[in-house]
């Protein structure tokens, strides 16, 4: 089975709790970059980064413009910008119009990451009250990436995972507490 | 190679060879998204159809340029940046008999008017000259009009107060139906004109350059070239203000700039941490 090279995660309403549940379960030896787009509504993502860093098994940082998507690090999209992955696996930002009413938009992150990593990408769509991420999930699956959607029954807000499943389907649809183990299995040698 | 990626390369070549616009050093991910958006806007079946129209259809290039520089901004975006300009940069500017400010990539002009208001309130406007440039003529026309949708402007009053404004933002515009129009007196010392950061050169000796969230669309190479252009345009001790998430660590030309406020991306030629200029 092909070893995956990167993980992107999208979430909105209920996202903080969901991430605090998933991130501690990730194996500290995961040698892939993990990139999160979480709608927070706040002007500053620092608080989210600090909260996640307390629980995660890997370092959590705000994704830095032009910097490489370092493996073994959890990168969080800054507020007010779309976060993109360039073909050379470095981050870029844009202030283009909102996509799916959001900036940062999960669709934008997923689509550009799919362009960069193709079938090496795993995309995870978690709880949320809007349908951002659904089109991104379509792009990920079209590129041969692995789509993992949180079981809507276990989601604080089920609109986002349901929209993802309807638009793209999924390679796995798991309850929240099974997601970290699946990611470890897909990424560890 | 992906067909769409080939089409984008051909698009870039067509813009370059037919119209003299060089997008080859634009960061690929956002360029691709914007070209895909153009396909939707113009109801084209593919990027190749856009390419064909670019080559054959009179006047189409202007509409493409309009779509390729989608300027999204607001007045006093990141209020703390404007407050810090007022508190830390304006006192230095006040020591010059004439103040030249270059707003590079002014898009729809929201920041030009923001700056004009702050200069006015600091008593510096009369001796200031603001050069507001963009490579998109349609955007420049909108900037010169200073008319914005009321719904866009909802947060601007709060931004203005947080930026340290001393009046009410509504003192500076007239509201009509769904639009607000900025007081045209605010542009009496503003010159709007076309300048392309990719190909055009130094045109003034500036004391302050604002260029926020423009270089984020450029590759490292073009970012570095543009920072060199800014450095050469600024007087010694001149200021540069970029977007708050921009990263100039990979640019050799950035070595000439030191921090005024690193978190807010306000720099000064020869400021703390700057290295000797290599011109």
């Amino acid at each position: 089975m092909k070893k995956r090279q990167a993980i992107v995660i999208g979430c909105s309403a209920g996202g903080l709790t969901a991430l605090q549940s998933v991130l501690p379960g990730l194996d500290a030896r995961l040698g892939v970059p993990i990139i999160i787009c979480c709608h927070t509504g706040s002007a500053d993502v620092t608080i989210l980064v600090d909260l996640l860093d307390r629980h995660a098994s890997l370092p959590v940082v705000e994704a830095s413009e032009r910097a490489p998507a370092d493996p073994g690090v959890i990168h969080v999209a800054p507020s007010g910008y779309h976060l993109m992955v360039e073909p050379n696996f470095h981050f870029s930002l844009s202030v283009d119009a909102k996509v799916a009413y959001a900036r940062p938009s999960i669709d934008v992150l997923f689509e550009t990451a799919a362009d960069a990593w193709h079938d090496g990408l795993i995309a995870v769509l978690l709880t949320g009250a809007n349908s951002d991420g659904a089109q991104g999930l379509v792009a990920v699956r079209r590129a041969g990436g692995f789509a993992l959607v949180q079981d809507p029954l276990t989601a604080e807000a089920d609109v986002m995972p349901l929209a993802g499943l309807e638009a793209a389907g999924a390679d796995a649809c798991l309850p929240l507490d099974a997601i970290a183990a699946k990611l470890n299995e897909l990424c560890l040698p | 190679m992906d067909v769409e990626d080939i089409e984008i390369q051909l698009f870039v070549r067509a813009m370059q060879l037919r119209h003299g616009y060089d997008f080859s050093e634009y960061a690929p991910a956002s360029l691709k998204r914007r070209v895909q958006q153009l396909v939707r806007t113009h109801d084209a079946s593919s990027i190749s159809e856009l390419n064909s129209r670019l080559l054959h259809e009179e006047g189409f290039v202007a509409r493409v340029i309009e779509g390729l520089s989608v300027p999204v901004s607001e007045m006093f975006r990141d209020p703390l940046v404007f407050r810090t300009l007022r508190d830390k940069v304006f006192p230095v500017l006040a020591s010059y008999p004439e103040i030249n400010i270059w707003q590079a990539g002014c898009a729809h002009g929201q920041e030009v008017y923001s700056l004009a208001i702050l200069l006015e309130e600091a008593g510096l406007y009369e001796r200031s000259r603001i050069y507001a440039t963009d490579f998109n003529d349609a955007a420049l026309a909108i900037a010169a009009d200073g008319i914005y949708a009321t719904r866009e402007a909802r947060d601007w009053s709060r931004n203005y107060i947080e930026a340290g404004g001393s009046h009410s933002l509504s003192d500076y515009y007239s509201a009509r139906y769904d639009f607000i129009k900025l007081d045209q007196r605010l542009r009496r010392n503003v010159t709007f004109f076309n300048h392309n950061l990719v190909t055009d050169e130094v045109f003034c000796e500036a004391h302050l350059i604002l260029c926020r969230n423009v270089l984020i669309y450029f590759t490292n190479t073009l970012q570095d070239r543009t920072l060199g252009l800014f450095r050469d345009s600024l007087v010694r001790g001149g200021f540069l203000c970029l977007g708050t998430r921009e990263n100039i660590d990979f640019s050799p030309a950035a070595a000439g700039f030191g921090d005024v406020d690193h978190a807010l991306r306000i720099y000064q030629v020869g400021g703390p941490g700057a290295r000797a200029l290599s011109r």
Side-chain angles (χ1 to χ4, degrees):
Chain A
M1 197 173 65
K2 185 182 167 61
K3 192 170 157 296
R4 305 289 172 166
Q5 294 156 328
I7 300 171
V8 288
I9 302 176
C11 54
S12 184
L16 174 61
T17 317
L19 290 169
Q20 283 175 328
S21 155
V22 172
L23 299 185
L26 294 178
D27 194 304
R29 296 166 301 167
L30 273 192
V32 303
I34 297 150
I35 308 160
I36 296 174
C37 175
C38 176
H39 307 153
T40 62
S42 145
D44 194 343
V45 82
T46 317
I47 302 156
L48 176 68
V49 169
D50 289 347
L51 284 172
L52 294 179
D53 196 39
R54 277 184 219 163
H55 297 271
S57 47
L58 294 159
V60 183
V61 300
E62 181 180 323
S64 171
E65 199 226 352
R66 296 180 192 274
D70 286 328
V73 175
I74 298 170
H75 309 263
V76 182
S79 301
Y81 294 83
H82 291 304
L83 176 65
M84 296 172 289
V85 181
E86 294 290 336
N88 64 359
F89 311 116
H90 286 233
F91 291 118
S92 64
L93 301 174
S94 101
V95 286
D96 282 0
K98 292 180 176 180
V99 172
Y101 307 101
R103 192 178 63 207
S105 150
I106 301 166
D107 282 340
V108 173
L109 173 63
F110 281 14
E111 287 169 14
T112 56
D115 273 350
W117 279 293
H118 310 286
D119 59 357
L121 183 68
I122 301 168
V124 185
L125 197 57
L126 302 173
T127 168
N130 59 67
S131 59
D132 188 19
Q135 288 313 306
L137 213 57
V138 171
V140 169
R141 296 202 81 193
R142 197 183 292 142
F146 189 97
L148 201 173
V149 176
Q150 178 180 1
D151 179 348
L153 292 173
T154 70
E156 202 169 310
D158 64 7
V159 176
M160 187 172 282
L162 283 173
L165 289 173
E166 177 165 335
D171 299 285
C173 178
L174 297 171
L176 194 57
D177 56 13
I179 288 174
K182 185 67 182 176
L183 293 174
N184 292 336
E185 174 199 321
L186 288 167
C187 294
L188 287 173
Chain B
M1 191 176 180
D2 185 67
V3 171
E4 209 173 36
D5 290 333
I6 297 172
E7 286 179 299
I8 288 186
Q9 289 201 10
L10 295 172
F11 172 89
V12 170
R13 288 295 281 162
M15 287 298 283
Q16 198 163 17
L17 293 173
R18 181 80 171 89
H19 302 290
Y21 286 103
D22 185 358
F23 286 94
S24 61
E25 290 295 338
Y26 272 58
S30 51
L31 180 65
K32 181 174 183 175
R33 294 195 66 84
R34 286 176 167 190
V35 175
Q36 288 169 333
Q37 181 59 47
L38 274 175
V39 169
R40 290 190 288 273
T41 305
H42 294 287
D43 214 12
S45 58
S46 66
I47 298 169
S48 294
E49 189 185 320
L50 285 184
N51 293 347
S52 170
R53 292 180 67 182
L54 262 181
L55 295 177
H56 301 293
E57 191 179 314
E58 192 76 30
F60 188 62
V61 64
R63 297 166 68 193
V64 166
I65 289 296
E66 223 178 309
L68 277 184
S69 65
V70 192
V72 180
S73 190
E74 52 190 276
M75 285 189 76
F76 299 99
R77 180 183 163 118
D78 306 316
L80 193 53
V81 170
F82 284 92
R83 182 184 279 265
T84 306
L85 286 175
R86 190 196 64 173
D87 293 347
K88 287 193 178 169
V89 174
F90 283 13
V92 180
L93 296 185
S95 66
Y96 297 105
E98 285 179 0
I99 304 165
N100 287 332
I101 299 174
W102 178 12
Q103 174 91 47
C106 72
H108 286 176
Q110 291 94 332
E111 297 208 340
V112 178
Y113 292 102
S114 308
L115 193 65
I117 289 171
L118 277 197
L119 287 165
E120 191 88 87
E121 293 184 1
L124 296 175
Y125 188 85
E126 288 311 329
R127 53 182 149 130
S128 299
R129 168 64 52 190
I130 302 176
Y131 300 99
T133 66
D134 204 281
F135 79 104
N136 176 350
D137 283 328
L140 282 169
I142 291 169
D145 282 345
I147 298 173
Y148 306 103
T150 309
R151 117 188 89 75
E152 276 177 63
R154 216 177 295 143
D155 300 329
W156 296 357
S157 288
R158 196 186 58 220
N159 286 357
Y160 164 77
I161 297 299
E162 286 175 20
S166 49
H167 296 83
S168 160
L169 187 59
S170 58
D171 295 347
Y172 297 101
Y173 64 76
S174 49
R176 193 172 289 181
Y177 307 112
D178 294 336
F179 294 92
I180 63 167
K181 181 169 174 65
L182 271 295
D183 186 344
Q184 289 300 284
R185 277 176 42 79
L186 288 171
R187 47 168 292 210
R188 64 192 185 279
N189 291 348
V190 180
T191 313
F192 292 98
F193 65 97
N194 192 300
H195 180 281
N196 189 339
L197 290 171
V198 181
T199 41
D200 294 335
E201 296 297 327
V202 173
F203 65 87
C204 74
E205 192 167 65
H207 302 96
L208 165 64
I209 297 176
L210 280 100
C211 183
R212 304 208 306 144
N213 299 323
V214 175
L215 308 187
I216 54 177
Y217 296 101
F218 295 174
T219 62
N220 289 1
T221 306
L222 184 55
Q223 182 207 34
D224 182 55
R225 198 196 88 87
T226 311
L227 286 171
L229 177 69
F230 290 163
R231 195 191 58 192
D232 293 344
S233 300
L234 284 165
V235 300
R236 178 142 190 91
F239 297 93
L240 172 66
C241 179
L242 302 176
T244 58
R245 290 298 182 271
E246 295 191 48
N247 181 359
I248 60 173
D249 291 350
F250 298 106
S251 161
F257 293 101
D259 291 335
V260 173
D261 188 317
H262 181 75
L264 298 178
R265 306 299 192 265
I266 301 174
Y267 306 97
Q268 187 173 23
V269 175
R275 294 199 294 278
L277 300 183
S278 51
R279 293 210 176 184

